[in-house]
Amino acid sequence: MVYSQSEPLAKLWNVTDNEVITLLELERNLTMVDGLLQPILEEYNTSFGGSYINVLMNCIFVYTVDPTKIDIIKSRMEPYFHFFNFTSATNSLVALRNAFDGVSVQAQRLKPFTIYCFIDIEFNNVGLFLYKYYNNSNREFLEAIQQYNVTFHYLDKRKLHSIQNDVDVYNIIARDIKTPVIDVQSDDNITARNIKLPILGGEGIYNLDDHLECSAGFGAKRKDKEDYFIIIAGHCTKTKFNTIFKLFSWNENTTGPTIGFMLRHQIEPIDIGAIFIGSDKYEPSMLIRNTDTVQNKELITYDVSVSSSYGTHLCKSGRTTHVTCGYVKGLNGFFTDNKKQFNGQLTFTNIFGEKGDSGGPGFSYKQDLRSVSLNSITVGGVNSAGVQLHILLPIEPMEQFFRNDNLEIILYDNTV
C-alpha cells in the first residue's frame, strides 16, 4: 500500500513513501563515491572548490576552478566518472577556507552581535548571515572582514530566533498532570511492578524555573553506575544550577510530572546540557518520536553518524515542528548570539524548525524508514526573508562533555 507523503523524507524529496528507500540507496552510493573523490579534491585544492551531492539528479556537482585537472579525476575514478557534473567555479577550497578562517578569527576577536557563517559549497563562497539592525554595533567587525569578499545575506530582525531566543517563553506555568503508576499483573499473580515511561528524542520538555520550552535530545548514562540523563541544548536554562524540567508532550497544553534537573550545562564553546533523571516515572530511550507518520511512529537510533558530504539529508525531531528534513548546507560553521557568545563546529541545514525545537535530536535515516543514525542536537535557527537555516551541534564536539561526567549515549547497539 502506498501512503502518499507521510514520511518526512518523502516530503523533502517530493516522492511517495515507497520511493524513499530507493533514494536512500542512491544517496548511500553517492556518499561513498564522494568519499573517494574528496581526497583527490584535497590533493588539488587550488583547482577545485569542493563537491555537492544531488540525490534527485543522482549526481555529484564538482566545483571546478581549473578544468585542466578534470582528466586527473577521470583517470583515477573512471568507474564513477558518470556521476560527476563539473561546474565552473571561482573560489578554490584553499581560497574558501582562508576566507572562512579569517572571518572566524575576527568574529572570535571582536565578538559581533548575531551573525551566522559557513562555507557555502553550493554557491562557492563563504556565506555570512546578519542583521542590518546590528550594523553600527558590528562596524569594526564588518570593516575587518572586507578583504574576504564573503556573500552577505541580510535577515529580518523581527523574525530572529537564534540561540538565546530559540525557546518559547510562557508567563503562566502549565498545570501538572499526575501520571499513575502502571501495575502489570499476570494470571500467575506475579508481583506488580512499576513501568517507567521512556522519554523519546524530540519529546517536549519544560523548564519550570525559567519558563522555557525545549525538546529532549537523546538519552545517556554513566558508564560506572545507574545514573541516567537527557542531553539537550545548554541554552534551555538561564540559571546556573539545578533547573527543574517537566515533560511537555507534543500537542499538549499542560505539563506532565517532573523529569529531573539540569545537572550541568554550558553555552561556550559548545551549547549543551545534561538533565539528570531524578524521577522514578521516566527513563531515557534509544527512540525518537515521529508520531505524525502513518507507520514509523518511533525511530530506533542504532548508531552515531558524522556528516561529511554536502547535500546529503539530515532530519530533526522537536516539540514544535515535529520531524522535518533538509539538506546539509554547511559543515564546521559558527555563529555568535545576541550576547556575543561564539559557537563553532556547527552543521548548517535548511531544515524547517521553530522556537521550542531546541535540544531535539538531529539524525539521518539508514536503509529503511525506522532505523536512524544519531547525528546532532538542534541549537538554533533562522526563518527570515526567505532564508531558512537550522543549526545543529554534531556529536563529535560533545565528547569532552561526555568524558567529564563519564557518560555514554544510549543506542540500540549498546542495549542488546
Side-chain angles (χ1 to χ4, degrees):
M1 183 176 182
V2 177
Y3 290 105
S4 183
Q5 290 185 328
S6 167
E7 296 293 339
L9 260 186
K11 295 174 183 177
L12 174 68
W13 288 332
N14 195 26
V15 298
T16 65
D17 289 354
N18 285 0
E19 294 174 290
V20 170
I21 301 302
T22 299
L23 288 176
L24 279 171
E25 177 60 26
L26 290 180
E27 185 185 65
R28 185 196 64 80
N29 186 58
L30 288 171
T31 303
M32 180 273 294
V33 174
D34 191 50
L36 297 174
L37 172 66
Q38 286 186 27
I40 302 175
L41 299 185
E42 291 295 338
E43 187 177 346
Y44 296 91
N45 56 16
T46 60
S47 299
F48 297 98
S51 57
Y52 189 95
I53 287 175
N54 188 309
V55 175
L56 297 179
M57 295 178 64
N58 194 25
C59 76
I60 301 172
F61 287 92
V62 183
Y63 296 96
T64 308
V65 176
D66 181 1
T68 65
K69 300 297 191 296
I70 292 176
D71 284 343
I72 294 173
I73 293 179
K74 183 175 182 178
S75 65
R76 292 169 63 173
M77 296 198 65
E78 180 67 36
Y80 309 109
F81 194 71
H82 61 285
F83 288 115
F84 301 139
N85 185 322
F86 293 92
T87 302
S88 178
T90 301
N91 294 315
S92 67
L93 283 170
V94 168
L96 291 170
R97 289 168 183 163
N98 286 342
F100 175 80
D101 290 345
V103 176
S104 178
V105 167
Q106 295 300 331
Q108 292 176 73
R109 182 176 74 90
L110 298 171
K111 301 289 187 179
F113 283 101
T114 316
I115 64 168
Y116 309 82
C117 187
F118 59 92
I119 295 175
D120 193 336
I121 290 290
E122 193 177 13
F123 290 94
N124 191 233
N125 204 1
V126 174
L128 184 69
F129 299 78
L130 66 167
Y131 296 88
K132 286 186 178 180
Y133 178 87
Y134 291 126
N135 273 7
N136 286 335
S137 301
N138 292 342
R139 182 173 299 169
E140 186 178 3
F141 167 75
L142 294 175
E143 290 175 353
I145 66 168
Q146 282 183 354
Q147 60 183 304
Y148 302 117
N149 297 315
V150 303
T151 300
F152 288 84
H153 303 270
Y154 281 101
L155 307 169
D156 183 352
K157 177 66 171 65
R158 294 169 298 176
K159 298 180 180 179
L160 170 64
H161 65 91
S162 63
I163 180 171
Q164 294 300 325
N165 299 319
D166 196 86
V167 287
D168 284 338
V169 180
Y170 292 86
N171 294 322
I172 301 175
I173 298 174
R175 180 175 59 87
D176 281 357
I177 300 176
K178 293 185 177 180
T179 304
V181 174
I182 303 173
D183 292 329
V184 177
Q185 190 169 14
S186 73
D187 293 336
D188 296 325
N189 293 319
I190 297 175
T191 301
R193 59 188 176 88
N194 293 339
I195 302 298
K196 293 188 176 183
L197 302 176
I199 301 174
L200 277 60
E203 186 61 278
I205 55 176
Y206 186 80
N207 177 334
L208 187 64
D209 298 308
D210 299 320
H211 313 316
L212 302 177
E213 175 190 343
C214 275
S215 300
F218 54 86
K221 62 181 179 180
R222 290 199 200 274
K223 295 179 181 178
D224 54 349
K225 57 181 177 179
E226 295 295 308
D227 286 347
Y228 295 93
F229 302 85
I230 299 296
I231 304 300
I232 63 168
H235 72 268
C236 290
T237 182
K238 293 181 180 180
T239 52
K240 291 186 177 180
F241 303 108
N242 298 340
T243 309
I244 299 299
F245 283 86
K246 289 177 170 284
L247 191 70
F248 195 24
S249 293
W250 291 11
N251 306 318
E252 295 289 339
N253 294 321
T254 54
T255 61
T258 297
I259 296 170
F261 61 90
M262 183 77 87
L263 180 71
R264 190 162 67 88
H265 78 286
Q266 62 187 58
I267 303 297
E268 291 183 295
I270 62 171
D271 183 5
I272 188 171
I275 297 173
F276 174 74
I277 300 178
S279 169
D280 59 3
K281 294 180 173 64
Y282 296 117
E283 63 182 0
S285 175
M286 61 186 175
L287 303 175
I288 293 174
R289 187 166 182 180
N290 186 35
T291 48
D292 292 345
T293 64
V294 175
Q295 289 184 310
N296 303 295
K297 297 182 180 297
E298 294 178 350
L299 306 174
I300 303 173
T301 53
Y302 276 83
D303 53 22
V304 172
S305 68
V306 177
S307 295
S308 58
S309 293
Y310 293 87
T312 52
H313 85 274
L314 205 57
C315 305
K316 70 98 187 77
S317 180
R319 185 185 193 276
T320 306
T321 59
H322 301 178
V323 176
T324 53
C325 299
Y327 298 110
V328 173
K329 296 293 184 180
L331 298 171
N332 200 34
F334 73 86
F335 73 84
T336 63
D337 62 24
N338 58 5
K339 293 184 179 180
K340 297 188 174 185
Q341 296 174 115
F342 182 94
N343 276 256
Q345 304 180 74
L346 301 172
T347 300
F348 283 74
T349 73
N350 64 348
I351 296 171
F352 175 70
E354 285 287 357
K355 297 177 182 180
D357 290 331
S358 279
F363 60 91
S364 60
Y365 285 89
K366 296 175 80 67
Q367 293 308 299
D368 61 64
L369 292 175
R370 182 105 193 271
S371 308
V372 302
S373 295
L374 182 66
N375 177 279
S376 49
I377 61 170
T378 293
V379 294
V382 176
N383 292 322
S384 172
V387 174
Q388 187 167 290
L389 296 177
H390 193 86
I391 309 165
L392 302 114
L393 173 68
I395 299 297
E396 187 175 6
M398 303 179 191
E399 290 178 356
Q400 183 59 53
F401 184 87
F402 294 152
R403 281 196 294 270
N404 289 341
D405 285 308
N406 200 26
L407 301 181
E408 63 179 355
I409 300 171
I410 296 174
L411 304 166
Y412 179 82
D413 285 348
N414 60 23
T415 57
V416 295

